[in-house]
């Protein structure tokens, strides 16, 4: 396995752990405070929530596409949507987490999953066009 694939796989696994930690953190107040500090300064708290939900899965699906290039792109989109739906269901099923589950979050995360896959596709096309992509499919 080329080192680039291995690196992308390790980064994807590490980022998945970060995502799981974030979505299952047992305090909605803590999460809201972190989001308020992370999001762009010019957005309202609701706007920051939307922007961060859109961005949450972009790195994961981007890295997954790069790390496992033989897996069809749509698989990573579906996996991102399933991860998002699972997280919201866990937040709903476990009231002790003190979280606010929302189907809007699933949609926003799903758009982010699509965006990550699209960015990986653009990068792969660019690398093939320039002759720097030597993978064998």
């Amino acid at each position: 396995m080329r080192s680039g694939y291995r690196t992308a796989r390790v980064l994807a696994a590490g980022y998945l752990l970060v995502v799981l930690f974030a979505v299952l953190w047992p305090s909605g107040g803590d999460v809201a405070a972190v989001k308020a500090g992370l999001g762009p300064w010019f957005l309202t708290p609701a706007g920051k929530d939307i922007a961060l939900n859109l961005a949450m899965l972009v790195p994961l699906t981007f890295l997954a596409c790069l790390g496992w290039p033989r897996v069809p792109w749509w698989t990573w989109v579906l996996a991102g949507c399933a991860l998002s739906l699972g997280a919201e269901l866990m937040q709903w099923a476990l009231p002790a987490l003190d979280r606010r589950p929302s189907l809007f979050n699933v949609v926003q995360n799903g758009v982010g999953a699509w965006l990550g896959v699209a960015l990986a596709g653009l990068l792969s096309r660019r690398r093939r066009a320039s002759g720097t992509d030597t993978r064998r499919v």
Side-chain angles (χ1 to χ4, degrees), residues 18-122:
V18 170
V19 167
L20 291 174
F21 184 77
V23 298
L24 296 176
W25 184 258
S27 172
D30 289 347
V31 173
V34 169
K35 283 184 174 184
L38 285 178
W41 61 270
F42 55 86
L43 291 178
T44 65
K48 288 180 182 186
D49 186 54
I50 291 169
L52 292 170
N53 279 328
L54 288 168
M56 183 175 81
L57 294 182
V58 172
L60 184 60
T61 55
F62 176 80
L63 291 167
C65 283
L66 296 181
W68 290 274
R70 292 182 186 217
V71 174
W73 62 269
W74 53 266
T75 303
W76 299 119
V77 173
L78 289 177
C81 292
L83 174 65
S84 178
L85 181 61
E88 296 302 315
L89 286 173
M90 290 295 289
Q91 291 173 4
W92 172 77
L94 300 172
L97 290 177
D98 190 29
R99 299 295 298 270
R100 180 187 49 87
S102 168
L103 285 178
F104 291 116
N105 290 354
V106 176
V107 172
Q108 293 159 358
N109 295 153
V111 170
W114 274 99
L115 184 56
V117 166
L119 291 172
L122 288 173

